[in-house]
Amino acid sequence: MTNLAMPSEAPGISPDTLLAAVANGLLTAEQAQGLRDLESASASTLDREPHDDEKFRFISGFSDIFVTIGLGLFLGALGYFSGDMIGNTGMFAAIAVASWLLAEYFTRRQRMALPSIVLLLVYAGAVFSTVAEAFNPNLSFGMGLGNHGGLPIVVAGLATAAATALHYQRFRVPVTIAAGVAALVASAIGILFMVLPDFAIQTAKPLLLACGVAVFALAMRFDLSDPQRQTRRTDIAFWLHMLAAPLIVHPLISGLVGEGGSDAISAWSILAIFIGLALVALVVDRRAILVSGLSYAGFAFGSLVVKAGLADSVVPLTMLVLGALVLLLSAGWHALRRTLVPLLPGALAVRLPAHT
């Protein structure tokens, strides 16, 4: 599924080895057949593990966590000392170079999943910060993006997209595509703030929503090209869904949040949107959007609890209901998909993950 190869399990005895053992008198034919039967029975037992179409490799063992802690300590110290000696721009550049060099060993040679993800994210963030800081050392992200204020964001985003493209060509870490797309989204928004600042400020949420839908469409393109989810494309799609989810959910729901969360109509609207997102998540068999909407669903349900006069119990009741909802969806995920997917047009249904 990804080029970060998982540690191989102990291989079974090959048929050729069994035949050679019988030919050399090490085993009888009956004993060889017994070993074959035992191997088949073991494989059948392993095949009965819970089915999950969203499997992806995050860690392969505690060594991944151990190395990641070391990377955090090393890069943090490097940033501290380089910042004192060569300033912020040089600090970010040093971190970017160090992240690439460390990836040469931990990603390209060792194939360690979690360190590879962390190194890529640090690399992308460091490249973006290096270019933005070089263009405007006093840049305050999110402020003053109009006119020429957005230029550092635009250039930094484009530079980061190019840098992540080179990184992917070298290391093939699936999350790299999402990082590059995030940089392009930042550049696109920065350009709009430069060209039409007033319009961009007034339509910030729809712009983010449009970007989220575009990223979701790209994620679905990867998903639909690999319905069995057996190649690197499904890992790329997973991270793109993780990026698309907040871009879609936040602008779609945040505008409905009333002051203090006291608007019951907004609360019911948020819950209705959450149900719609749950249906989309079920159909495409991706839980990222659903997870992103949980915080808003909790806020909405809490508002309804307050309206019902149970303000003292709002936190535990909200946690109870959301926890029960997540558990019910988890338990009935495949059964719900078996109900929903056949209702879709046949040409689309066959390109989605199997609903067994």
Side-chain angles (χ1 to χ4, degrees):
M1 194 178 296
T2 173
N3 75 316
L4 301 178
M6 298 187 67
S8 58
E9 299 178 1
I13 301 175
S14 69
D16 290 341
T17 302
L18 289 175
L19 290 175
V22 173
N24 290 309
L26 298 176
L27 293 174
T28 66
E30 291 78 11
Q31 290 172 329
Q33 186 58 46
L35 288 173
R36 294 189 188 98
D37 294 341
L38 181 61
E39 178 71 14
S40 298
S42 299
S44 299
T45 300
L46 292 175
D47 289 341
R48 287 196 294 269
E49 66 180 17
H51 177 70
D52 187 354
D53 284 321
E54 280 195 288
K55 290 180 180 178
F56 76 103
R57 186 180 174 220
F58 192 65
I59 62 173
S60 56
F62 188 76
S63 60
D64 279 35
I65 300 174
F66 187 70
V67 169
T68 302
I69 293 172
L71 291 174
L73 294 172
F74 177 80
L75 292 173
L78 176 65
Y80 176 81
F81 288 113
S82 60
D84 279 348
M85 292 186 293
I86 53 180
N88 287 340
T89 302
M91 174 190 70
F92 290 128
I95 291 174
V97 172
S99 298
W100 182 290
L101 294 176
L102 288 167
E104 289 287 347
Y105 180 76
F106 291 107
T107 300
R108 191 170 175 83
R109 294 186 59 183
Q110 295 297 105
R111 308 298 190 192
M112 303 183 79
L114 182 58
S116 298
I117 293 170
V118 171
L119 285 171
L120 177 276
L121 295 178
V122 171
Y123 170 77
V127 170
F128 187 94
S129 299
T130 299
V131 178
E133 185 80 15
F135 267 79
N136 186 355
N138 300 317
L139 178 67
S140 177
F141 294 103
M143 301 293 293
L145 293 180
N147 299 326
H148 298 292
L151 182 61
I153 304 297
V154 175
V155 178
L158 294 175
T160 303
T164 53
L166 292 174
H167 194 282
Y168 185 76
Q169 289 296 320
R170 178 67 174 172
F171 302 110
R172 299 286 177 176
V173 180
V175 68
T176 311
I177 304 298
V181 171
L184 291 177
V185 168
S187 291
I189 294 176
I191 290 173
L192 195 59
F193 268 90
M194 287 177 57
V195 178
L196 300 169
D198 294 334
F199 174 79
I201 292 172
Q202 295 173 0
T203 60
K205 290 179 180 178
L207 288 175
L208 286 175
L209 178 61
C211 291
V213 171
V215 176
F216 176 78
L218 179 61
M220 288 305 302
R221 181 173 181 179
F222 281 99
D223 261 343
L224 294 176
S225 67
D226 181 23
Q228 302 302 317
R229 295 190 173 172
Q230 295 178 343
T231 70
R232 186 185 297 114
R233 292 190 173 196
T234 190
D235 291 337
I236 294 173
F238 171 84
W239 292 108
L240 286 171
H241 280 294
M242 291 293 289
L243 172 63
L247 292 175
I248 293 173
V249 173
H250 178 72
L252 192 63
I253 294 182
S254 61
L256 294 172
V257 178
E259 293 184 4
S262 60
D263 190 343
I265 296 178
S266 294
W268 283 111
S269 299
I270 291 171
L271 291 177
I273 292 174
F274 181 76
I275 293 172
L277 294 173
L279 293 175
V280 174
L282 281 165
V283 167
V284 303
D285 202 14
R286 290 293 186 186
R287 297 162 179 81
I289 293 180
L290 196 58
V291 171
S292 295
L294 277 176
S295 58
Y296 291 104
F299 186 92
F301 185 79
S303 300
L304 297 177
V305 171
V306 172
K307 280 286 184 180
L310 300 173
D312 293 339
S313 304
V314 60
V315 174
L317 275 176
T318 301
M319 293 175 63
L320 177 66
V321 172
L322 289 182
L325 177 62
V326 170
L327 292 175
L328 287 172
L329 279 173
S330 178
W333 189 266
H334 296 292
L336 290 170
R337 293 198 73 242
R338 283 195 295 270
T339 301
L340 290 174
V341 174
L343 301 178
L344 300 173
L348 175 61
V350 297
R351 300 184 65 187
L352 292 170
H355 47 280
T356 56

